[in-house]
Amino acid sequence: QVQLVESGGGLVQAGGSLRLSCAASEPTFSASAMGWFRQAPGKEREFVARINWSGTYSWIADSIQGRFTISKDSNKNTFYLQMNSLKLENTALYYCATTRLPLATMKYQYKNWGQGTQVTVSS
């Protein structure tokens, strides 16, 4: 079973940037896509972005369009979430996971969840 490991989180001031990484232990040919989710304290885990396994098609949640981008390293099984112009409300634990459904946005449609990486945005 593929394992995903997130990294790149940290403390950043509002307006700053971070790049999160999600490294897969092996190619997951049964997966159609990889997604990023986040969970803030006291809130449900919510969809952030999705990219297909070849890295050619991506989708970003409406609330972060224009500030976040998702990409894949073509030579590695590593995916990235570039987060710019960070806001206080972006503070959350960010997770990556895989899905067999190419258009999935719901957490129950994903599996192989990583442990998450904490992003904290300060004023």
Side-chain angles (χ1 to χ4, degrees):
Q1 183 173 342
V2 67
Q3 292 183 325
L4 302 178
V5 179
E6 304 94 337
S7 62
L11 176 64
V12 62
Q13 286 191 325
S17 299
L18 281 175
R19 189 178 78 158
L20 306 184
S21 300
C22 174
S25 59
E26 60 189 62
T28 304
F29 299 109
S30 62
S32 293
M34 196 285 292
W36 283 100
F37 285 73
R38 65 185 178 188
Q39 188 165 15
K43 294 189 177 182
E44 293 290 322
R45 191 170 299 187
E46 64 175 356
F47 173 80
V48 174
R50 178 190 67 241
I51 190 167
N52 67 339
W53 204 260
S54 62
T56 57
Y57 180 78
S58 63
W59 182 259
I60 306 289
D62 290 343
S63 62
I64 54 175
Q65 281 276 358
R67 295 192 298 118
F68 289 18
T69 56
I70 187 171
S71 62
K72 179 184 185 291
D73 187 313
S74 59
N75 296 318
K76 303 178 184 178
N77 298 318
T78 301
F79 299 82
Y80 304 99
L81 183 69
Q82 178 67 43
M83 306 186 296
N84 299 326
S85 302
L86 283 162
K87 303 178 180 180
L88 296 179
E89 56 263 36
N90 298 141
T91 294
L93 191 58
Y94 284 72
Y95 299 90
C96 61
T98 63
T99 180
R100 294 188 176 189
L101 303 174
L103 302 179
T105 61
M106 307 299 289
K107 63 182 180 181
Y108 73 87
Q109 297 172 314
Y110 285 77
K111 63 178 182 179
N112 299 320
W113 294 90
Q115 294 299 306
T117 185
Q118 178 67 41
V119 172
T120 302
V121 184
S122 65
S123 58

